[in-house]
Amino acid sequence: AQSVTQLGSHVSVSEGALVLLRCNYSSSVPPYLFWYVQYPNQGLQLLLKYTTGATLVKGINGFEAEFKKSETSFHLTKPSAHMSDAAEYFCAVSGVTGGFKTIFGAGTRLFVKA
Amino acid sequence: EAQVTQNPRYLITVTGKKLTVTCSQNMNHEYMSWYRQDPGLGLRQIYYSMNVEVTDKGDVPEGYKVSRKEKRNFPLILESPSPNQTSLYFCASSLRPLGGTSTDTQYFGPGTRLTVL
């Protein structure tokens, strides 16, 4: 079965520091990969996605992620954290075996310290 | 404004009392989906719909029903709610199923917080 693992349910960084949120997936074929952000009391918003082509994907708010097939990873990064980045982040996969389901990771809550 | 709307936003009910959570999108999207969000579990897909009259189970469909009689609406029905269905529910839509062209994006509604006593 497909699965998504996000390492670390909570990540804390200082303002201005590098943000790294980890995501690994299980799949026998290259999947479609997504990162979403959820601010408190809001729905999810798409940050970025990988479908085909360039493996380094740039998203909104300065985030980017790199698809590494050999490592089955799709880690999310941002060079310099801002206080407004504090939120919960979800990695998701879709379009793999099992029809058109979407599988989400458990989420990583990002804290940004002043 | 392009949006996905859900009603109600908050609902407290009792075990066994049938309820419906409505979802509507104004973007002429073919694909719609329902998720539930629980702490530590992320989002889990309940049902999805590829188009009118075409629905399929997600990962946690037990205890839920859906219908897609019109393209814009995708209601979630709990015929006999139980306390383990207490959760935050999200409806979402996209032009086509995820994994299509790079222009496809899944839009989420604001969520419905359901408490079943």
Side-chain angles (χ1 to χ4, degrees), chain A residues 20-103:
Chain A
L20 171 61
L21 304 182
R22 300 177 187 273
C23 173
N24 288 87
Y25 65 90
S26 67
S27 171
S28 59
V29 296
Y32 300 106
L33 296 156
F34 307 83
W35 275 101
Y36 290 88
V37 61
Q38 185 180 33
Y39 298 104
N41 300 314
Q42 294 187 28
L44 277 72
Q45 179 183 6
L46 181 69
L47 271 179
L48 50 80
K49 59 186 173 185
Y50 168 79
T51 53
T52 59
T55 56
L56 181 62
V57 181
K58 295 187 185 299
I60 62 172
N61 301 339
F63 285 93
E64 62 181 38
E66 186 171 12
F67 168 58
K68 291 187 176 180
K69 181 180 176 181
S70 61
E71 299 178 7
T72 61
S73 69
F74 191 56
H75 301 331
L76 181 71
T77 61
K78 182 175 181 178
S80 176
H82 191 273
M83 297 296 288
S84 61
D85 294 326
E88 189 153 23
Y89 293 80
F90 294 94
C91 181
V93 297
S94 182
V96 197
T97 56
F100 293 97
K101 295 179 185 178
T102 302
I103 306 296

Side-chain angles (χ1 to χ4, degrees), chain B residues 100-117:
Chain B
T101 70
S102 61
T103 59
D104 289 345
T105 296
Q106 187 165 215
Y107 295 86
F108 282 79
T112 295
R113 188 167 293 281
L114 173 65
T115 302
V116 183
L117 302 175

Side-chain angles (χ1 to χ4, degrees), chain B residues 48-69:
Chain B
Y48 63 91
S49 170
M50 304 282 281
N51 213 324
V52 175
E53 302 292 0
V54 182
T55 63
D56 207 349
K57 297 177 180 178
D59 283 329
V60 288
E62 296 78 19
Y64 304 94
K65 286 178 59 177
V66 293
S67 68
R68 188 91 181 273
K69 292 183 170 55

